[in-house]
């Protein structure tokens, strides 16, 4: 922008002033930046949602449950919510693999369907990611007379 001013002696001088218009707050605040969600976050959400389904006894394979039970007994250790859950997270989509143990007497198909529905609803609601697939592997059936591998009778180390 060019302004012409007259000095007190009647001379005109030309000044060039560049005034930049700074626009603050332009656009939607939600679009200013990027949100990334770690695989572990989605795994925790999915693990909690799967465990909420009636008929799911445990998550993970026998080895993972045994190893997890030992790890859970270490002072300061916590129950592994992500045991039996694997997530692949992209920018707008996620895919999940779950390994579950079903309690005897429940329909495996019905339990798997309920787990899938609960996991999809929880992950999409909490993360806004589209869940493209939930693969469920049933690794075992918990019989009524079986002891839990997660609760050994006596610790080996005293």
């Amino acid at each position: 922008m060019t302004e012409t001013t007259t000095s007190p002696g009647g001379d005109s001088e030309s000044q060039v002033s560049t005034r930049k218009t700074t626009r603050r707050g332009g656009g939607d605040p939600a679009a200013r930046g990027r949100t990334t969600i770690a695989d572990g976050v989605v795994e925790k959400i999915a693990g909690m949602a799967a465990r909420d389904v009636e008929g799911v006894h445990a998550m993970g394979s026998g080895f993972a449950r045994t190893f997890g039970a030992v790890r859970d007994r270490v002072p300061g250790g916590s129950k592994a919510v992500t045991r039996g859950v694997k997530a692949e997270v992209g920018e707008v989509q996620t895919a999940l693999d779950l390994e579950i143990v079903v309690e005897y007497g429940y329909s495996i198909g019905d339990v798997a369907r309920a787990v899938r529905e609960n996991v999809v609803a929880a992950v999409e609601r909490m993360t806004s990611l589209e869940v493209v697939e939930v693969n469920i592997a049933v690794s075992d059936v918990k019989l009524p007379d079986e002891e839990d591998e997660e609760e050994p009778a006596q610790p080996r180390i005293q």
Side-chain angles (χ1 to χ4, degrees), residues 52-116:
D52 285 345
V53 174
E54 189 173 347
V56 174
H57 174 72
M59 301 287 294
S61 66
F63 176 75
R65 291 193 322 271
T66 303
F67 181 74
V70 171
R71 187 183 61 228
D72 292 346
R73 284 176 177 50
V74 173
S78 61
K79 192 164 189 153
V81 178
T82 61
R83 186 181 314 144
V85 182
K86 177 69 180 130
E88 291 181 32
V89 180
E91 288 188 27
V92 294
Q93 295 179 326
T94 185
L96 295 152
D97 295 319
L98 281 75
E99 189 171 0
I100 65 173
V101 176
V102 176
E103 292 181 18
Y104 178 81
Y106 286 88
S107 164
I108 292 173
D110 291 346
V111 171
R113 191 175 305 102
V115 166
R116 193 170 281 112

Side-chain angles (χ1 to χ4, degrees), residues 4-148:
T4 304
T5 56
T6 306
S7 62
D11 300 322
S12 16
E13 49 182 63
S14 185
Q15 291 182 342
V16 176
S17 90
T18 55
R19 188 176 3 165
K20 291 184 181 177
T21 308
T22 306
R23 206 169 134 195
R24 297 181 192 260
D28 180 22
R32 295 184 201 172
R34 200 173 83 177
T35 302
T36 57
I37 300 172
D39 293 358
V41 172
V42 174
E43 289 170 357
K44 284 182 180 182
I45 294 167
M48 292 297 292
R51 284 175 175 77
D52 285 345
V53 174
E54 189 173 347
V56 174
H57 174 72
M59 301 287 294
S61 66
F63 176 75
R65 291 193 322 271
T66 303
F67 181 74
V70 171
R71 187 183 61 228
D72 292 346
R73 284 176 177 50
V74 173
S78 61
K79 192 164 189 153
V81 178
T82 61
R83 186 181 314 144
V85 182
K86 177 69 180 130
E88 291 181 32
V89 180
E91 288 188 27
V92 294
Q93 295 179 326
T94 185
L96 295 152
D97 295 319
L98 281 75
E99 189 171 0
I100 65 173
V101 176
V102 176
E103 292 181 18
Y104 178 81
Y106 286 88
S107 164
I108 292 173
D110 291 346
V111 171
R113 191 175 305 102
V115 166
R116 193 170 281 112
E117 289 172 0
N118 208 32
V119 166
V120 168
V123 170
E124 287 185 348
R125 177 178 48 84
M126 294 182 72
T127 66
S128 298
L129 293 169
E130 177 191 3
V131 178
V132 293
E133 67 180 8
V134 178
N135 299 311
I136 299 174
V138 179
S139 62
D140 201 359
V141 173
K142 167 67 170 79
L143 300 175
D145 58 345
E146 285 181 330
E147 285 187 31
D148 264 346

